[in-house]
Amino acid sequence: SRHGLLTHPAFMALMARPQESNPISRGLFLLRDVLCVHVDPPPQGVAIPALPPIADGVSTRERLEMHASTPACAGCHGMIDPAGFVFEAFDEVGRFRTMDHGVPVDTSGTFDLGTDVDGPFGTGEELLAKLGDSQTVRACFSQHYLDFALSHPVPDPADTCSLQTVTQGFGESGDLKQLVVAIATSDSFRLRLAEGVGP
């Protein structure tokens, strides 16, 4: 039931709280770092209500759904929570589980993000398998890789052509070696200025 790095126990533990899983942190990571979906931070000056307390017979998902029922929270959580529920089959230390506080784990959900993984999914495992074939995931991975290689975020207009070339090549092949070669031979990488040197 594990799919690569995303469900590795160490990663699941990193994105959890000491006594419980944390669908919010896990969901934000999936959205921002795997799908490159922009998620705004909570509005300034808005008091975020605490989650209901941990209790037997109430799953983490149910507690979060109670929290998200507050009108001030519903907008953002409608996008974040389904991405986090994908990982609810893994507890706070990354162990696989089918029960959470005496309640069967529910990892189903629906994405409506404007990506190629949109739509309903019956289980988190189903969605994770879909990510492996996603062009959105490949494009996001390409962007992060190029960000790292250039030591700055790609949105610089001068890097637009390089990003398109790198993303298209990796999207078609899924070959990591080709991605590295495409970045190393791109104008943005070959012609970049030395650190501390400005135009």
Side-chain angles (χ1 to χ4, degrees):
S1 297
R2 295 191 188 274
H3 290 268
L5 294 174
L6 289 179
T7 53
H8 191 284
F11 178 73
M12 289 287 92
L14 178 67
M15 295 287 173
R17 295 187 174 104
Q19 302 296 323
E20 60 180 334
S21 63
N22 188 350
I24 298 171
S25 292
R26 292 172 176 179
L28 282 171
F29 181 86
L30 180 62
L31 293 173
R32 290 175 173 165
D33 297 298
V34 178
L35 294 168
C36 288
V37 172
H38 177 74
V39 181
D40 289 321
Q44 290 187 348
V46 174
I48 300 174
L51 288 173
I54 297 172
D56 288 337
V58 181
S59 69
T60 304
R61 178 174 183 145
E62 290 170 335
R63 290 173 55 238
L64 197 53
E65 286 172 341
M66 292 178 207
H67 172 79
S69 66
T70 305
C73 304
C76 293
H77 281 280
M79 178 168 55
I80 297 168
D81 292 354
F85 294 151
V86 166
F87 302 104
E88 275 299 276
F90 302 95
D91 69 8
E92 66 273 11
V93 293
R95 290 176 299 208
F96 181 78
R97 65 182 179 181
T98 58
M99 302 291 289
D100 178 20
H101 294 91
V103 178
V105 167
D106 179 5
T107 59
S108 65
T110 301
F111 275 1
D112 184 16
L113 306 169
T115 71
D116 60 0
V117 297
D118 283 2
F121 50 92
T123 64
E125 187 174 358
E126 180 184 321
L127 188 279
L128 290 168
K130 194 174 180 181
L131 292 176
D133 296 321
S134 168
Q135 293 299 311
T136 302
V137 171
R138 290 184 181 184
C140 186
F141 184 81
S142 300
Q143 180 173 334
H144 287 313
Y145 219 106
L146 186 58
D147 284 350
F148 178 78
L150 300 179
S151 298
H152 67 76
V154 168
D156 185 327
D159 300 319
T160 302
C161 290
S162 292
L163 177 60
Q164 288 176 345
T165 301
V166 166
T167 299
Q168 182 179 356
F170 185 61
E172 292 171 355
S173 70
D175 187 328
L176 186 57
K177 290 180 181 178
Q178 287 187 16
L179 175 61
V180 174
V181 170
I183 290 174
T185 56
S186 69
D187 287 346
S188 292
F189 186 81
R190 291 184 309 105
L191 306 176
R192 71 192 188 286
L193 297 172
E195 187 173 342
V197 176

